[in-house]
Amino acid sequence: MGNWSPLVPPTLVEIPAAVLAREELERNIYASYDQGASYRQYLDYRSEGDTRLTINGNRHYRTPHGHLPSVTTILSATQGNKAALERWAKKNPGGREAAAARGTRVHSLMEEYLLGVNKDPVIEDEEISAFWDGMPNLLDKLGRVIWAENPVGGAFPWTIGGDGVSRVWHPGVHVEENWGWAGAPDIVAEYKGKVVLGDLKTSNGPYYGKWPGSDTPKNEYGMRRAGFMKYSKCMMQMGAYAMALEHTVGIVPDILMIFVSMRERNQVFAVQGGTIEKWKQKWLDAVNKYYGEYLPSQVAIDVEVIDGDA
């Protein structure tokens, strides 16, 4: 079954669920874990306290390699247009919060559906219902579910924080420094004998897998460009999760899938093989930009502010 077979089945992994003492965590956090070692080095790792942390206004995760920035934090710093987002937020007061709440609710429905907890939910909110409609038919194409927001059946307990939040991580590929990241995948499941890493997005507009060409109608160019930028950002996110999954739990996805939920229709994008490697490299380029350019620029800004106050 693709790359799933080398994994130790969850039923064969018996690890005490007790949270390690803080002193033991501190003693092991940097010394015991190696960038190039197997995921088995983490079998005894447990974390306590909040798994998600806010540092300098950005989301980070507690990991064996310290507090690592989330995948979305790195993407927002290197790929996003913050000025454009702020302009949109001013023109659409409350829109950002509403979109976040909608996404959270649809993700919750997805998790319950995949786990079989609630296959026929009663949705009173008409907007949520519109975004959820049609999604079950797409999710039904997946086979055995391995991960739905969290590992299924208590598998991979080292990925689950003391607060119940799950994440995977990667210390990065820099030869001298920890340029790592962490994040929480949506879906890992089987599909026709292969392992799928899936991500669910709610969107007001469609995604596009190609940059708009010269033959694109002028009245569609902006929409298609925005759709491609969303697609690209999501594929980079999936590349990051794919690398982190392999590093943290030994799962190597064969296929990356994006499930796009919209009011009137849904989309599914799937890539595999060399295309996955392309998006992994684009992700690593973003990581280099984040640690090599963005973070040093923030330190410089802080220094200027301090000097100014002096």
Side-chain angles (χ1 to χ4, degrees):
M1 197 206 72
N3 289 308
W4 172 250
S5 56
L7 292 178
V8 177
T11 55
L12 300 183
V13 178
E14 296 182 1
I15 301 171
V19 176
L20 297 181
R22 181 178 297 276
E23 307 85 70
E24 189 174 355
L25 277 176
E26 293 296 330
R27 197 162 56 244
N28 290 334
I29 195 165
Y30 293 109
S32 299
Y33 303 104
D34 181 72
Q35 180 186 92
S38 162
Y39 73 94
R40 294 177 182 276
Q41 67 182 313
Y42 301 121
L43 294 184
D44 292 326
Y45 172 74
R46 300 293 184 276
S47 67
E48 59 181 14
D50 293 336
T51 304
R52 295 190 182 106
L53 307 165
T54 300
I55 301 175
N56 296 327
N58 296 311
R59 173 171 288 181
H60 288 64
Y61 284 90
R62 192 185 305 273
T63 80
H65 299 276
H67 302 155
L68 297 180
S70 71
V71 172
T72 51
T73 290
I74 293 176
L75 286 174
S76 295
T78 60
Q79 307 298 312
N81 187 331
K82 290 188 176 182
L85 288 174
E86 291 302 322
R87 287 196 298 270
W88 181 88
K90 287 182 178 180
K91 292 181 180 178
N92 300 272
R96 185 156 45 189
E97 294 77 10
R102 179 187 69 206
T104 298
R105 176 60 177 140
V106 174
H107 273 79
S108 177
L109 290 167
M110 173 208 72
E111 180 182 7
E112 293 179 351
Y113 189 86
L114 288 175
L115 295 177
V117 174
N118 191 353
K119 287 286 191 178
D120 189 21
V122 176
I123 306 173
E124 296 181 356
D125 188 313
E126 292 184 1
E127 182 179 32
I128 299 298
S129 180
F131 276 89
W132 178 248
D133 187 37
M135 191 55 62
N137 292 333
L138 299 178
L139 297 176
D140 282 342
K141 298 181 185 300
L142 299 174
R144 182 167 69 103
V145 178
I146 302 163
W147 186 298
E149 299 286 341
N150 293 285
V152 174
F156 319 121
W158 56 94
T159 67
I160 306 171
D163 56 359
V165 173
S166 301
R167 77 289 196 211
V168 292
W169 55 80
H170 196 296
V173 298
H174 195 284
V175 295
E176 297 177 350
E177 300 182 52
N178 179 356
W179 285 15
W181 63 89
D186 287 346
I187 303 168
V188 181
E190 296 178 6
Y191 175 73
K192 295 184 177 180
K194 295 186 176 182
V195 178
V196 169
L197 168 61
D199 197 75
L200 172 63
K201 299 295 185 186
T202 59
S203 178
N204 288 320
Y207 279 42
Y208 287 92
K210 294 182 179 180
W211 184 264
S214 58
D215 58 341
T216 302
K218 288 185 178 181
N219 63 337
E220 294 184 10
Y221 189 88
M223 176 185 66
R224 290 178 178 268
R225 180 182 61 183
F228 176 75
M229 292 176 70
K230 290 188 291 186
Y231 169 85
S232 298
K233 196 172 180 179
C234 186
M235 278 299 177
M236 290 171 67
Q237 181 180 4
M238 301 274 275
Y241 289 161
M243 294 180 70
L245 271 170
E246 181 176 4
H247 180 82
T248 309
V249 300
I251 293 179
V252 182
D254 299 300
I255 304 172
L256 307 184
M257 281 189 180
I258 305 176
F259 298 87
V260 184
S261 169
M262 295 179 288
R263 288 185 179 85
E264 297 180 356
R265 65 188 179 100
N266 302 301
Q267 296 174 292
V268 178
F269 296 89
V271 302
Q272 54 188 323
T275 305
I276 294 178
E277 298 307 311
K278 180 188 79 170
W279 289 110
K280 286 181 180 178
Q281 185 55 56
K282 286 182 178 292
W283 165 251
L284 289 176
D285 292 341
V287 171
N288 290 338
K289 184 176 181 180
Y290 178 79
Y291 283 100
E293 299 177 22
Y294 174 78
L295 285 186
S297 73
Q298 298 305 298
V299 172
I301 291 173
D302 289 343
V303 170
E304 289 175 7
V305 170
I306 293 172
D307 289 344
D309 288 344

Short mmCIF file of all heavy atoms in Angstrom, two decimals, residues 217-264:
data_model
loop_
_atom_site.label_atom_id
_atom_site.label_comp_id
_atom_site.label_asym_id
_atom_site.label_seq_id
_atom_site.Cartn_x
_atom_site.Cartn_y
_atom_site.Cartn_z
N PRO A 217 -9.58 35.92 -20.43
CA PRO A 217 -10.39 37.14 -20.56
C PRO A 217 -10.04 38.15 -19.48
O PRO A 217 -9.78 37.79 -18.33
CB PRO A 217 -11.83 36.62 -20.40
CG PRO A 217 -11.76 35.17 -20.78
CD PRO A 217 -10.41 34.71 -20.33
N LYS A 218 -10.03 39.42 -19.84
CA LYS A 218 -9.62 40.46 -18.90
C LYS A 218 -10.48 40.47 -17.64
O LYS A 218 -9.99 40.72 -16.54
CB LYS A 218 -9.67 41.83 -19.57
CG LYS A 218 -8.57 42.04 -20.60
CD LYS A 218 -8.60 43.46 -21.16
CE LYS A 218 -7.45 43.68 -22.15
NZ LYS A 218 -7.46 45.06 -22.69
N ASN A 219 -11.77 40.18 -17.81
CA ASN A 219 -12.65 40.23 -16.65
C ASN A 219 -12.47 39.02 -15.72
O ASN A 219 -13.07 38.97 -14.64
CB ASN A 219 -14.11 40.34 -17.10
CG ASN A 219 -14.56 39.11 -17.90
OD1 ASN A 219 -13.75 38.40 -18.47
ND2 ASN A 219 -15.86 38.88 -17.93
N GLU A 220 -11.66 38.04 -16.15
CA GLU A 220 -11.39 36.88 -15.30
C GLU A 220 -9.96 36.84 -14.79
O GLU A 220 -9.63 36.00 -13.95
CB GLU A 220 -11.66 35.58 -16.09
CG GLU A 220 -13.12 35.38 -16.46
CD GLU A 220 -13.34 34.04 -17.15
OE1 GLU A 220 -12.38 33.21 -17.16
OE2 GLU A 220 -14.44 33.82 -17.68
N TYR A 221 -9.11 37.74 -15.29
CA TYR A 221 -7.69 37.65 -14.98
C TYR A 221 -7.43 37.77 -13.48
O TYR A 221 -6.68 36.98 -12.89
CB TYR A 221 -6.91 38.73 -15.73
CG TYR A 221 -5.41 38.57 -15.63
CD1 TYR A 221 -4.72 37.77 -16.54
CD2 TYR A 221 -4.70 39.18 -14.61
CE1 TYR A 221 -3.34 37.59 -16.44
CE2 TYR A 221 -3.33 39.01 -14.50
CZ TYR A 221 -2.66 38.22 -15.41
OH TYR A 221 -1.30 38.05 -15.30
N GLY A 222 -8.04 38.77 -12.84
CA GLY A 222 -7.81 38.98 -11.41
C GLY A 222 -8.27 37.80 -10.58
O GLY A 222 -7.58 37.38 -9.64
N MET A 223 -9.42 37.24 -10.93
CA MET A 223 -9.96 36.10 -10.20
C MET A 223 -9.05 34.88 -10.36
O MET A 223 -8.76 34.18 -9.38
CB MET A 223 -11.36 35.77 -10.71
CG MET A 223 -11.98 34.52 -10.08
SD MET A 223 -13.57 34.09 -10.79
CE MET A 223 -13.09 33.64 -12.48
N ARG A 224 -8.56 34.64 -11.58
CA ARG A 224 -7.71 33.49 -11.82
C ARG A 224 -6.34 33.65 -11.16
O ARG A 224 -5.76 32.70 -10.65
CB ARG A 224 -7.55 33.25 -13.33
CG ARG A 224 -8.83 32.74 -13.99
CD ARG A 224 -8.65 32.56 -15.49
NE ARG A 224 -9.85 32.03 -16.11
CZ ARG A 224 -10.09 30.73 -16.29
NH1 ARG A 224 -9.19 29.84 -15.92
NH2 ARG A 224 -11.20 30.33 -16.86
N ARG A 225 -5.83 34.87 -11.18
CA ARG A 225 -4.55 35.11 -10.52
C ARG A 225 -4.67 34.87 -9.02
O ARG A 225 -3.82 34.22 -8.41
CB ARG A 225 -4.08 36.55 -10.78
CG ARG A 225 -2.74 36.89 -10.13
CD ARG A 225 -2.36 38.32 -10.40
NE ARG A 225 -3.34 39.24 -9.85
CZ ARG A 225 -3.27 40.57 -10.00
NH1 ARG A 225 -2.29 41.10 -10.71
NH2 ARG A 225 -4.19 41.34 -9.46
N ALA A 226 -5.74 35.40 -8.42
CA ALA A 226 -5.97 35.18 -6.99
C ALA A 226 -6.14 33.69 -6.68
O ALA A 226 -5.63 33.19 -5.68
CB ALA A 226 -7.19 35.96 -6.53
N GLY A 227 -6.85 32.99 -7.57
CA GLY A 227 -7.06 31.56 -7.37
C GLY A 227 -5.77 30.77 -7.46
O GLY A 227 -5.56 29.81 -6.70
N PHE A 228 -4.88 31.17 -8.37
CA PHE A 228 -3.60 30.48 -8.48
C PHE A 228 -2.71 30.76 -7.28
O PHE A 228 -2.01 29.86 -6.79
CB PHE A 228 -2.87 30.90 -9.76
CG PHE A 228 -1.49 30.29 -9.87
CD1 PHE A 228 -1.34 28.96 -10.21
CD2 PHE A 228 -0.36 31.05 -9.60
CE1 PHE A 228 -0.07 28.38 -10.30
CE2 PHE A 228 0.91 30.48 -9.68
CZ PHE A 228 1.06 29.15 -10.03
N MET A 229 -2.76 31.98 -6.78
CA MET A 229 -1.93 32.32 -5.61
C MET A 229 -2.39 31.53 -4.39
O MET A 229 -1.57 31.06 -3.59
CB MET A 229 -1.98 33.82 -5.37
CG MET A 229 -1.29 34.63 -6.47
SD MET A 229 -1.44 36.42 -6.27
CE MET A 229 -0.41 36.69 -4.84
N LYS A 230 -3.70 31.36 -4.24
CA LYS A 230 -4.22 30.54 -3.14
C LYS A 230 -3.80 29.08 -3.31
O LYS A 230 -3.41 28.41 -2.34
CB LYS A 230 -5.74 30.65 -3.06
CG LYS A 230 -6.24 32.01 -2.59
CD LYS A 230 -7.73 32.03 -2.33
CE LYS A 230 -8.53 31.91 -3.61
NZ LYS A 230 -9.99 32.07 -3.36
N TYR A 231 -3.87 28.60 -4.54
CA TYR A 231 -3.47 27.22 -4.84
C TYR A 231 -1.99 27.01 -4.51
O TYR A 231 -1.60 26.02 -3.87
CB TYR A 231 -3.74 26.93 -6.32
CG TYR A 231 -3.15 25.65 -6.84
CD1 TYR A 231 -3.82 24.44 -6.69
CD2 TYR A 231 -1.91 25.64 -7.49
CE1 TYR A 231 -3.29 23.26 -7.18
CE2 TYR A 231 -1.37 24.47 -7.98
CZ TYR A 231 -2.05 23.28 -7.82
OH TYR A 231 -1.52 22.11 -8.30
N SER A 232 -1.15 27.95 -4.95
CA SER A 232 0.28 27.84 -4.74
C SER A 232 0.62 27.84 -3.24
O SER A 232 1.44 27.04 -2.77
CB SER A 232 1.03 28.98 -5.43
OG SER A 232 0.82 28.94 -6.82
N LYS A 233 -0.02 28.75 -2.52
CA LYS A 233 0.24 28.83 -1.09
C LYS A 233 -0.17 27.55 -0.38
O LYS A 233 0.55 27.05 0.50
CB LYS A 233 -0.54 30.03 -0.51
CG LYS A 233 -0.10 30.48 0.86
CD LYS A 233 -0.80 31.78 1.23
CE LYS A 233 -0.37 32.26 2.60
NZ LYS A 233 -1.03 33.55 2.96
N CYS A 234 -1.28 26.98 -0.78
CA CYS A 234 -1.75 25.73 -0.18
C CYS A 234 -0.83 24.57 -0.53
O CYS A 234 -0.52 23.73 0.33
CB CYS A 234 -3.18 25.43 -0.61
SG CYS A 234 -3.90 24.00 0.23
N MET A 235 -0.34 24.51 -1.76
CA MET A 235 0.55 23.43 -2.15
C MET A 235 1.89 23.52 -1.40
O MET A 235 2.48 22.51 -1.03
CB MET A 235 0.79 23.45 -3.66
CG MET A 235 -0.31 22.77 -4.46
SD MET A 235 -0.47 21.01 -4.01
CE MET A 235 -1.86 20.54 -5.02
N MET A 236 2.36 24.74 -1.17
CA MET A 236 3.57 24.89 -0.37
C MET A 236 3.32 24.42 1.07
O MET A 236 4.17 23.76 1.69
CB MET A 236 4.01 26.35 -0.38
CG MET A 236 4.54 26.81 -1.72
SD MET A 236 4.81 28.60 -1.80
CE MET A 236 6.16 28.78 -0.64
N GLN A 237 2.14 24.73 1.58
CA GLN A 237 1.75 24.27 2.91
C GLN A 237 1.75 22.74 2.97
O GLN A 237 2.25 22.13 3.92
CB GLN A 237 0.37 24.81 3.25
CG GLN A 237 -0.16 24.42 4.62
CD GLN A 237 -1.55 24.99 4.86
OE1 GLN A 237 -2.16 25.63 3.99
NE2 GLN A 237 -2.07 24.78 6.06
N MET A 238 1.22 22.12 1.92
CA MET A 238 1.17 20.66 1.86
C MET A 238 2.58 20.06 1.74
O MET A 238 2.88 19.02 2.33
CB MET A 238 0.33 20.23 0.66
CG MET A 238 -1.09 20.74 0.70
SD MET A 238 -2.14 19.66 1.64
CE MET A 238 -2.55 18.50 0.35
N GLY A 239 3.45 20.75 1.00
CA GLY A 239 4.83 20.29 0.92
C GLY A 239 5.50 20.30 2.28
O GLY A 239 6.25 19.39 2.64
N ALA A 240 5.19 21.35 3.07
CA ALA A 240 5.74 21.45 4.43
C ALA A 240 5.21 20.33 5.30
O ALA A 240 5.97 19.69 6.05
CB ALA A 240 5.36 22.80 5.03
N TYR A 241 3.91 20.05 5.22
CA TYR A 241 3.33 18.98 6.03
C TYR A 241 3.86 17.62 5.60
O TYR A 241 4.07 16.74 6.44
CB TYR A 241 1.80 18.99 5.89
CG TYR A 241 1.11 20.14 6.56
CD1 TYR A 241 -0.19 20.50 6.20
CD2 TYR A 241 1.73 20.89 7.55
CE1 TYR A 241 -0.85 21.55 6.81
CE2 TYR A 241 1.08 21.94 8.16
CZ TYR A 241 -0.21 22.27 7.79
OH TYR A 241 -0.84 23.32 8.40
N ALA A 242 4.07 17.42 4.29
CA ALA A 242 4.58 16.14 3.80
C ALA A 242 5.96 15.86 4.40
O ALA A 242 6.24 14.74 4.85
CB ALA A 242 4.64 16.14 2.28
N MET A 243 6.82 16.87 4.40
CA MET A 243 8.16 16.70 4.96
C MET A 243 8.08 16.45 6.47
O MET A 243 8.81 15.62 7.03
CB MET A 243 9.01 17.93 4.66
CG MET A 243 9.29 18.13 3.19
SD MET A 243 10.30 19.60 2.85
CE MET A 243 11.88 19.08 3.53
N ALA A 244 7.19 17.18 7.15
CA ALA A 244 7.06 17.04 8.60
C ALA A 244 6.46 15.68 8.98
O ALA A 244 6.86 15.08 9.97
CB ALA A 244 6.21 18.18 9.16
N LEU A 245 5.50 15.21 8.19
CA LEU A 245 4.92 13.89 8.46
C LEU A 245 5.98 12.79 8.37
O LEU A 245 6.05 11.92 9.23
CB LEU A 245 3.80 13.59 7.46
CG LEU A 245 2.39 14.04 7.81
CD1 LEU A 245 1.49 13.89 6.59
CD2 LEU A 245 1.82 13.24 8.97
N GLU A 246 6.78 12.86 7.33
CA GLU A 246 7.83 11.84 7.17
C GLU A 246 8.81 11.91 8.33
O GLU A 246 9.21 10.89 8.88
CB GLU A 246 8.56 12.03 5.85
CG GLU A 246 9.64 11.00 5.63
CD GLU A 246 10.31 11.10 4.27
OE1 GLU A 246 9.98 12.03 3.51
OE2 GLU A 246 11.19 10.25 3.98
N HIS A 247 9.17 13.12 8.73
CA HIS A 247 10.15 13.27 9.79
C HIS A 247 9.59 12.85 11.15
O HIS A 247 10.28 12.21 11.95
CB HIS A 247 10.62 14.73 9.88
CG HIS A 247 11.63 14.98 10.95
ND1 HIS A 247 12.97 14.72 10.78
CD2 HIS A 247 11.49 15.43 12.23
CE1 HIS A 247 13.62 15.00 11.90
NE2 HIS A 247 12.75 15.44 12.79
N THR A 248 8.33 13.19 11.41
CA THR A 248 7.75 12.99 12.74
C THR A 248 7.17 11.60 12.96
O THR A 248 7.28 11.04 14.05
CB THR A 248 6.64 14.04 13.00
OG1 THR A 248 7.15 15.35 12.72
CG2 THR A 248 6.18 14.00 14.45
N VAL A 249 6.52 11.03 11.93
CA VAL A 249 5.85 9.74 12.12
C VAL A 249 6.21 8.71 11.06
O VAL A 249 5.71 7.57 11.11
CB VAL A 249 4.31 9.90 12.18
CG1 VAL A 249 3.91 10.79 13.32
CG2 VAL A 249 3.77 10.45 10.86
N GLY A 250 7.05 9.06 10.10
CA GLY A 250 7.48 8.09 9.10
C GLY A 250 6.53 7.87 7.95
O GLY A 250 6.71 6.96 7.16
N ILE A 251 5.51 8.70 7.82
CA ILE A 251 4.56 8.58 6.70
C ILE A 251 5.05 9.41 5.52
O ILE A 251 5.34 10.60 5.68
CB ILE A 251 3.15 9.05 7.11
CG1 ILE A 251 2.55 8.10 8.14
CG2 ILE A 251 2.24 9.15 5.89
CD1 ILE A 251 1.17 8.52 8.61
N VAL A 252 5.13 8.79 4.36
CA VAL A 252 5.53 9.49 3.14
C VAL A 252 4.31 9.54 2.21
O VAL A 252 3.94 8.53 1.61
CB VAL A 252 6.69 8.78 2.43
CG1 VAL A 252 7.11 9.56 1.19
CG2 VAL A 252 7.87 8.60 3.38
N PRO A 253 3.66 10.69 2.10
CA PRO A 253 2.46 10.77 1.24
C PRO A 253 2.79 10.52 -0.23
O PRO A 253 3.80 10.99 -0.74
CB PRO A 253 1.98 12.22 1.45
CG PRO A 253 2.60 12.65 2.74
CD PRO A 253 3.92 11.95 2.81
N ASP A 254 1.93 9.76 -0.88
CA ASP A 254 2.05 9.52 -2.32
C ASP A 254 1.33 10.59 -3.13
O ASP A 254 1.70 10.87 -4.28
CB ASP A 254 1.45 8.16 -2.68
CG ASP A 254 2.14 7.00 -1.98
OD1 ASP A 254 3.34 6.83 -2.19
OD2 ASP A 254 1.47 6.29 -1.20
N ILE A 255 0.28 11.15 -2.54
CA ILE A 255 -0.57 12.12 -3.23
C ILE A 255 -0.88 13.28 -2.29
O ILE A 255 -1.14 13.06 -1.10
CB ILE A 255 -1.90 11.48 -3.69
CG1 ILE A 255 -1.64 10.27 -4.58
CG2 ILE A 255 -2.77 12.50 -4.42
CD1 ILE A 255 -2.91 9.48 -4.91
N LEU A 256 -0.83 14.49 -2.80
CA LEU A 256 -1.31 15.66 -2.08
C LEU A 256 -2.63 16.08 -2.69
O LEU A 256 -2.74 16.22 -3.91
CB LEU A 256 -0.31 16.82 -2.17
CG LEU A 256 1.14 16.55 -1.77
CD1 LEU A 256 1.95 17.85 -1.85
CD2 LEU A 256 1.23 15.96 -0.38
N MET A 257 -3.65 16.27 -1.86
CA MET A 257 -4.98 16.67 -2.34
C MET A 257 -5.46 17.92 -1.63
O MET A 257 -5.33 18.03 -0.41
CB MET A 257 -6.01 15.56 -2.10
CG MET A 257 -5.98 14.43 -3.07
SD MET A 257 -7.42 13.32 -2.83
CE MET A 257 -7.09 12.10 -4.12
N ILE A 258 -6.00 18.85 -2.39
CA ILE A 258 -6.67 20.03 -1.83
C ILE A 258 -8.16 19.89 -2.08
O ILE A 258 -8.59 19.70 -3.22
CB ILE A 258 -6.18 21.34 -2.47
CG1 ILE A 258 -4.66 21.47 -2.37
CG2 ILE A 258 -6.87 22.54 -1.81
CD1 ILE A 258 -4.13 22.70 -3.09
N PHE A 259 -8.95 19.94 -1.01
CA PHE A 259 -10.41 19.94 -1.12
C PHE A 259 -10.86 21.38 -0.90
O PHE A 259 -10.67 21.94 0.18
CB PHE A 259 -11.03 19.04 -0.06
CG PHE A 259 -10.65 17.59 -0.18
CD1 PHE A 259 -9.50 17.11 0.43
CD2 PHE A 259 -11.44 16.70 -0.91
CE1 PHE A 259 -9.14 15.77 0.33
CE2 PHE A 259 -11.09 15.36 -1.01
CZ PHE A 259 -9.94 14.89 -0.40
N VAL A 260 -11.46 21.99 -1.92
CA VAL A 260 -11.91 23.37 -1.84
C VAL A 260 -13.43 23.40 -1.71
O VAL A 260 -14.14 22.90 -2.58
CB VAL A 260 -11.48 24.19 -3.07
CG1 VAL A 260 -11.87 25.66 -2.89
CG2 VAL A 260 -9.96 24.08 -3.29
N SER A 261 -13.89 23.97 -0.62
CA SER A 261 -15.33 24.05 -0.35
C SER A 261 -15.81 25.47 -0.63
O SER A 261 -15.32 26.43 -0.04
CB SER A 261 -15.59 23.68 1.12
OG SER A 261 -16.92 23.98 1.48
N MET A 262 -16.78 25.58 -1.55
CA MET A 262 -17.37 26.88 -1.88
C MET A 262 -18.88 26.80 -1.74
O MET A 262 -19.44 25.72 -1.54
CB MET A 262 -16.98 27.28 -3.31
CG MET A 262 -15.48 27.53 -3.49
SD MET A 262 -15.05 27.98 -5.19
CE MET A 262 -15.28 26.39 -6.02
N ARG A 263 -19.55 27.93 -1.85
CA ARG A 263 -21.00 27.95 -1.66
C ARG A 263 -21.74 27.13 -2.71
O ARG A 263 -22.69 26.42 -2.41
CB ARG A 263 -21.51 29.40 -1.68
CG ARG A 263 -21.15 30.21 -0.46
CD ARG A 263 -21.80 31.58 -0.52
NE ARG A 263 -21.49 32.38 0.66
CZ ARG A 263 -20.39 33.12 0.78
NH1 ARG A 263 -19.49 33.14 -0.21
NH2 ARG A 263 -20.17 33.82 1.87
N GLU A 264 -21.31 27.23 -3.94
CA GLU A 264 -22.09 26.63 -5.02
C GLU A 264 -21.46 25.37 -5.60
O GLU A 264 -22.13 24.59 -6.28
CB GLU A 264 -22.29 27.65 -6.14
CG GLU A 264 -23.11 28.86 -5.68
CD GLU A 264 -23.31 29.86 -6.80
OE1 GLU A 264 -22.75 29.64 -7.89
OE2 GLU A 264 -24.02 30.86 -6.58
#
